[in-house]
């Protein structure tokens, strides 16, 4: 899998996990969803994403 689809997959899975944790464990996990959304918004404006850097270091092809 290439870099951009992998990034979208990870972001979507993290968001769904955070919603499940919010529902089943504690409402404070909602802040994890807020963090994910804020990171996606920030990366749209700055074109810098920590997950892309990590995936590149792990050898995921662009």
């Amino acid at each position: 899998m290439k870099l951009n689809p992998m990034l979208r997959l990870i972001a979507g899975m993290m968001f769904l996990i955070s919603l499940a944790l919010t529902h089943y464990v504690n409402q404070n996990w909602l802040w994890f969803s807020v963090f994910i959304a804020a990171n996606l918004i920030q990366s749209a404006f700055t074109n810098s994403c920590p997950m892309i850097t990590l995936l590149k270091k792990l050898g995921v092809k662009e």
Side-chain angles (χ1 to χ4, degrees), residues 1-13 55 60-62:
M1 187 178 288
K2 293 192 179 188
L3 188 64
N4 284 332
M6 177 86 67
L7 178 65
R8 288 192 295 268
L9 175 68
I10 291 170
M13 286 175 40
L55 290 173
V60 177
K61 304 272 191 244
E62 288 190 51

Side-chain angles (χ1 to χ4, degrees), residues 1-19 32-33 35-37 39-40 49-56 58-60:
M1 187 178 288
K2 293 192 179 188
L3 188 64
N4 284 332
M6 177 86 67
L7 178 65
R8 288 192 295 268
L9 175 68
I10 291 170
M13 286 175 40
M14 297 277 282
F15 188 73
L16 288 176
I17 289 169
S18 70
L19 290 179
F32 188 43
S33 300
F35 170 75
I36 294 166
N39 193 23
L40 289 169
C49 179
M51 183 57 73
I52 287 179
T53 305
L54 179 65
L55 290 173
K56 283 181 180 178
L58 290 173
V60 177

Side-chain angles (χ1 to χ4, degrees), residues 22-43:
T22 300
H23 183 73
Y24 292 111
V25 177
N26 188 324
Q27 295 245 333
N28 285 329
W29 280 102
L30 190 61
W31 290 107
F32 188 43
S33 300
V34 171
F35 170 75
I36 294 166
N39 193 23
L40 289 169
I41 293 167
Q42 170 269 331
S43 70

